[in-house]
Amino acid sequence: MQVLTRPYGALHYRADGPADAPAVIFANSLGTDLRLWDAVLPLLPQGLRYIRYDKQGHGLSTLGRGTDIIDHADDAIALIEALASKPVVFVGLSIGGLIGQTVASRRPELVRALALSNTAARLGTVESWQARIDAIAGHGLEHIADAVMERWFAPAFRATPELALWRAMLTRTPADGYIAACKALSRADQTAATAALRLPTLAIAGDADGASPAELVEATAALIPGSTFHVIPGTGHLPCVENPAAYAAILSPFLRAHAHD
Ligand SMILES: O=C(O)CC1=CCC(=O)O1
């Protein structure tokens, strides 16, 4: 078990690949843990150091404050500083993408390239996040789980037995950790900061994504000059789970082009 000590507690991470290799860090979405990347990692280029972690208040990581996107960016910065000797490629999905945008704008010297998956510079509204917080505070995560599955996955994947595992991952997320991240999402607006980013950027969307529709992902990518944008057909919010081969086919050339000096 790999752990980074933080001022508020412990961050659970996993690093695979040679310790001295160029590093790629993965930040996952609301209600998921680092297993989000299990299916796609074996399909990515060998010889890189792949670092993934449970956001604070998710998976095995303890919760600090976590109600501001900067709290989460500070965790990612601490991981990069502890584990990587050179700038990393940052791959962020959904809130993980907002964390990546925040790290790239606050500490540009740490990020050499950015992969923005199923994310945007702003996700949802203050009202929609408050409604979700109220629902969970009143009835728990089970109450919202079916609606979340409809945003996470396209109908074909929702018909598979694997759906139950992802639903369990969501409902087992600590409610306080989930609510803290919802508060961070409700406040986060990276639009101006992301428009000032100048680094190689790849954006990935799913055409059945009910949380960050493809047009929204494309609009965020368009803020960064030179970015490229890809849609994976037949996938929802978590295409690295639904179609890892297609996801790796898009991400791998980007890593080969940008992970090395
Ligand atoms: O749960 C959802 O609606 C999907 C999602 C929104 C932000 C995030 O990280 O996941």
Side-chain angles (χ1 to χ4, degrees):
M1 202 82 88
Q2 292 168 301
V3 56
L4 182 77
T5 302
R6 299 288 293 138
Y8 60 82
L11 205 64
H12 173 227
Y13 73 91
R14 180 166 167 182
D16 295 291
D20 56 350
V24 183
I25 186 166
F26 293 82
N28 44 267
S29 58
L30 182 65
T32 64
D33 63 34
L34 56 70
R35 288 173 289 186
L36 180 66
W37 308 103
D38 277 356
V40 80
L41 281 190
L43 308 178
L44 298 178
Q46 302 240 317
L48 298 176
R49 178 97 160 144
Y50 293 112
I51 301 164
R52 50 200 168 123
Y53 68 103
D54 295 339
K55 270 187 309 303
Q56 59 168 284
H58 283 62
L60 301 183
S61 295
T62 59
L63 177 63
R65 187 174 60 140
T67 53
D68 195 299
I69 202 71
I70 290 170
D71 300 331
H72 297 278
D74 283 345
D75 287 338
I77 289 167
L79 268 175
I80 296 168
E81 287 181 334
L83 301 176
S85 53
K86 292 187 173 171
V88 301
V89 178
F90 199 114
V91 182
L93 194 151
S94 201
I95 189 175
L98 270 162
I99 295 167
Q101 292 168 63
T102 307
V103 173
S105 63
R106 292 173 76 86
R107 297 290 303 276
E109 78 282 8
L110 295 181
V111 184
R112 61 171 64 235
L114 190 56
L116 297 175
S117 177
N118 305 79
T119 191
R122 170 118 188 87
L123 284 168
T125 62
V126 172
E127 294 74 23
S128 68
W129 290 115
Q130 191 57 51
R132 200 185 297 204
I133 291 166
D134 291 345
I136 297 162
H139 309 284
L141 274 156
E142 180 62 39
H143 189 70
I144 64 159
D146 290 337
V148 171
M149 291 304 108
E150 292 194 7
R151 289 193 293 270
W152 279 9
F153 300 117
F157 189 89
R158 291 207 304 276
T160 68
E162 197 179 324
L163 181 77
L165 305 182
W166 293 96
R167 196 180 185 286
M169 183 185 286
L170 171 71
T171 58
R172 291 174 190 178
T173 303
D176 58 356
Y178 191 98
I179 286 174
C182 289
K183 289 181 180 167
L185 279 157
S186 126
R187 295 179 182 144
D189 187 348
Q190 285 297 118
T191 308
T194 295
L197 291 178
R198 296 292 178 268
L199 79 172
T201 301
L202 162 78
I204 302 175
D207 66 355
D209 186 342
S212 50
E215 315 78 69
L216 191 64
V217 182
E218 185 172 24
T220 293
L223 296 172
I224 307 172
S227 65
T228 57
F229 170 70
H230 302 259
V231 180
I232 304 181
T235 64
H237 194 54
L238 307 181
C240 51
V241 172
E242 280 182 287
N243 193 340
Y247 199 87
I250 294 166
L251 186 55
S252 294
F254 185 75
L255 297 180
R256 282 194 201 96
H258 299 293
H260 299 268
D261 284 331

